[in-house]
Amino acid sequence: MNVNIRANVNEEIRIVCIGCAHHGAAGADEQQLNFWYNKILNTPNMYAIFLGDMVDAIYEKDKRYTEEEVADWCWGKKWGGTIIDRQFNYAVEKWSPLAKAGKILWIHMGNHEEKLIAVASRDLTRDWSRVLSIPYAGYMALTNLRILHDGPFDPKARKRPGRDNSYSRSTRVVFFTTHGAGGAQSQGAVMNKVSAMMDNYEANVYLMAHLHKRMSIARRTIGITEPRTSGGKLIRPRRRVYDRVAAVCGTFMDGHCDGVAGYGERKGYSPIITGPSVIHIKVEHNTSSRKFVDNETPRWATRIWVSDAVVEERK
């Protein structure tokens, strides 16, 4: 899959990883979700990736169903005639401004949406993709995120026809994204899930949800470039550094919310802090002639890092 966005060089891009939102569940943190939807919509160079389980998608005939775990807003006919219709329509209204602004890069299904397909033949994720014109990424996807830049970058650079002092350039960042699977709970087990993504797929950024945890790691590999000639001059091989980042991206579902015997309490899971992980990307262009210690001048560099959302105590 290929997705394009536009950003000036040296500007920071932030991608909020929204997965396991569980709209329609009593434990869904609607206040924090609304905060992030508004933040993404109103902040330049901020986008979202939807990582699945975006609604709870549990209805009366599902063996997981309990009435007390249904959100208050999900009763009544305002949003539709059934629990599933209400959750679908509620999500459409929440996401429409983001979709119209091109802020949702792509959307995955999660195990809750996949279960609904199996038992009720209803594919919410594809329907959202069609209604909102959001790229559909299935359960797992490899994606080229191409960041388009406009110059000027370097007065001596080759100019694009029709432009006086600039040329176009793009930066490719490869994402491996999935809703995820499994029931890892310990820190070590979650870390193994993160590491497995990096072992099995080639990408710059690896993202998963499902585990309702937030954790990230960075991994570096070192290689060497191939010797080549340019204009009859030998270009010596150089050390090549390849850095990657991976994250389990959290949840907005509180399994221990007050007044509800939620799944987290029933299964004995640890309480969690709700919120997303955020991917930061900054494409830098160095116009300086300063030489680094290894006698190399990196003209272009793509910085990628992960942060967790800031949380505050609620009284």
Side-chain angles (χ1 to χ4, degrees), residues 26-27 66-70 72 254-262 265:
T66 61
E67 186 174 300
E68 68 175 335
E69 288 192 272
V70 179
D72 290 341
D254 183 358
H256 294 77
C257 62
D258 190 28
V260 177
E265 294 181 8

Side-chain angles (χ1 to χ4, degrees), residues 35-60:
F35 166 82
W36 282 107
Y37 292 154
N38 291 328
K39 181 77 170 177
I40 295 164
L41 181 63
N42 296 304
T43 303
N45 293 332
M46 180 175 277
Y47 301 88
I49 295 173
F50 286 176
L51 289 168
D53 282 3
M54 300 304 296
V55 299
D56 210 38
I58 294 176
Y59 67 113
E60 294 87 344

